[in-house]
Amino acid sequence: MTYSGTAADAAFAFELPATWSVDGEFSDVGGTVAVLGPDGAPVGHLSVLIAWGAECGPDCSMPPVTHLGDVPGGVPLSSSGQFVVRSVAMDLTSAPELRNAYGWPDAVRLVTSLTDADSPPPTAMLPHVLYGLGTVETGVVAPNGITYRTVIFSSVHDFPSLEAAREYTGSEQHQQVEAMIASFRA
């Protein structure tokens, strides 16, 4: 089925399985909605924001990530252009203090997200910013003087091991998540 809406003056749509649903609403300034699987558990989040920024947090180290593949996006975004759906995993087995600082329930986090196609796969990232982003043009000037909006469309799963994360990337649910994110258009 198709979910469509407007957030922060950005009109968008994406496809999702008929047994999934979208929970939450956007406001005039954007926000975040959750995509829920048939069991009601989150399988993804979509944020549309006027401004985006990330602070370093309790530790600015950038542990290594494992690139687990890209899937091409369907339609170029109106501002940033071509995108991919990228999956990366970070294993913090040897850094329990970082896991605790960022509230990870398991040692490995897998993030699948809409990412600018021109960005090469990373080799290291901040633990709390394991996602990519894109931009869409609205033609409407925001209070900060810009006409584009930042889109973060991602799925986050935690696993006890990197092997378990790799195994999940072969699952039907992961393929459905990739297809959903790849269908995003704005």
Side-chain angles (χ1 to χ4, degrees), residues 63-162:
V65 293
T66 301
H67 177 235
L68 297 175
D70 289 351
V71 172
V75 177
L77 298 180
S78 58
S79 181
S80 56
Q82 294 290 339
F83 70 92
V84 296
V85 180
R86 177 165 291 153
S87 294
V88 296
M90 181 178 285
D91 185 348
L92 293 181
T93 299
S94 62
E97 68 287 346
L98 276 179
R99 281 197 330 261
N100 291 335
Y102 291 109
W104 288 20
D106 278 311
V108 176
R109 178 157 286 179
L110 170 69
V111 177
T112 301
S113 64
L114 182 153
T115 303
D116 185 340
D118 291 334
S119 298
T123 57
M125 297 176 82
L126 292 169
H128 66 293
V129 188
L130 288 176
Y131 52 82
L133 47 87
T135 55
V136 296
E137 181 57 47
T138 66
V140 178
V141 179
N144 60 359
I146 62 170
T147 59
Y148 65 87
R149 304 301 181 255
T150 300
V151 174
I152 302 169
F153 200 178
S154 62
S155 177
V156 177
H157 294 279
D158 294 294
F159 298 93
S161 69
L162 187 56

Side-chain angles (χ1 to χ4, degrees), residues 1-4 12-18 20 22 35 75 153 175-185:
M1 70 180 188
T2 300
Y3 178 83
S4 59
F12 63 88
F14 63 91
E15 308 300 318
L16 66 158
W20 294 11
V22 177
V35 179
V75 177
F153 200 178
Q175 291 166 3
Q176 289 172 317
V177 164
E178 287 177 320
M180 175 184 69
I181 296 172
S183 75
F184 185 82
R185 52 203 180 274

